Amino acid sequence: MTIHIPFNKPCIVGSELIYVGQAVAGGHASGDGPFTRRAQRLMEDRFGAGRILLTTSCTSALEMAALLCDLQLGDEVILPSYTFVSTANAVVLRGAKPVFVDIRPDTLNIDERLIEAAVTPRTRAIFPVHYAGVACEMDEIMAIARRHHLLVVEDAAQGVFAKYKDQWLGTIGHMGCYSFHETKNFSCGEGAH
Ligand SMILES: Cc1ncc(COP(=O)(O)O)c(C=O)c1O
């Protein structure tokens, strides 16, 4: 007997086709229409986030964040040794060097106790990943960033509506990226911020 255990089951609540119908009928089947604005406003309100910008995926959001960090050839970015490839690709695409720091066995997140030893004069940013929606030790990571004048970009692809202490994941660093891929907590096929 073969048992198929699906990798994921997208959460379908029943209103999807109605909303897609409204988007098509309203002439905004692509992005940046009324539904995009509603989603952006909802996340700004619920997460207390400064500004939300919907992109086509978390991969695009991470690549935009790396651009906004103004990474230059030879700059270094600290990230966990265990993540999805988009986190590292965003860095490599700018000509910067990903510096992988080992993860904690209990959370599978970057081990905050090992980060400072990986900082060099070329380090520009830390990209922590909240694996499976479990928060990284953000107090310690932000303190290290402040000490060394580094930017922090949270890869919160798997952490929509998850918290670290009383703060929403994705809103603690200087930038945060979410995924709305079909395999994530909330799905719109693709889509991110
Ligand atoms: C940690 C992490 N970062 C980034 C991504 C990329 O997300 P997307 O599929 O929305 O581009 C994923 C998706 O699996 C992920 O798990």
Side-chain angles (χ1 to χ4, degrees):
M1 189 176 73
T2 311
I3 301 172
H4 290 285
I5 301 173
F7 175 67
N8 75 295
K9 276 195 174 180
C11 175
I12 305 293
V13 297
S15 44
E16 291 82 1
L17 286 178
I18 298 165
Y19 289 151
V20 168
Q22 287 176 8
V24 172
H28 275 287
S30 61
D32 228 10
F35 281 96
T36 303
R37 281 191 286 281
R38 277 172 64 177
Q40 288 174 169
R41 256 198 314 271
L42 184 145
M43 285 192 280
E44 282 166 5
D45 292 346
R46 294 291 285 277
F47 299 155
R51 283 297 265 127
I52 297 275
L53 174 73
L54 283 188
T55 65
T56 52
S57 67
C58 187
T59 300
S60 313
L62 285 162
E63 289 173 14
M64 287 172 72
L67 274 165
L68 290 166
C69 287
D70 197 25
L71 296 179
Q72 304 294 321
L73 196 69
D75 284 348
E76 294 176 6
V77 174
I78 292 173
L79 59 147
S81 56
Y82 183 52
T83 180
F84 187 64
V85 69
S86 298
T87 327
N89 279 351
V91 173
V92 173
L93 282 167
R94 302 267 54 80
K97 182 178 156 194
V99 174
F100 296 104
V101 164
D102 210 352
I103 56 167
R104 294 169 47 141
D106 56 346
T107 61
L108 306 187
N109 285 332
I110 191 164
D111 190 334
E112 69 284 354
R113 294 159 300 190
L114 305 179
I115 292 177
E116 206 147 25
V119 174
T120 76
R122 303 302 308 256
T123 309
R124 296 285 168 268
I126 308 171
F127 282 30
V129 177
H130 305 293
Y131 195 78
V134 176
C136 296
E137 275 307 321
M138 290 308 293
D139 283 348
E140 181 58 18
I141 291 171
M142 295 309 292
I144 295 167
R146 275 191 297 276
R147 278 201 290 280
H148 299 276
H149 309 290
L150 308 175
L151 290 168
V152 174
V153 175
E154 294 176 74
D155 182 339
Q158 306 174 9
V160 181
F161 276 102
K163 277 185 168 178
Y164 171 72
K165 299 186 177 171
D166 59 348
Q167 285 175 288
W168 298 103
L169 299 189
T171 68
I172 306 164
H174 302 93
M175 287 177 267
C177 304
Y178 296 127
S179 175
F180 296 95
H181 185 265
E182 195 186 56
T183 52
K184 301 303 189 303
N185 304 5
F186 299 89
S187 165
C188 61
E190 297 275 346
H193 108 259

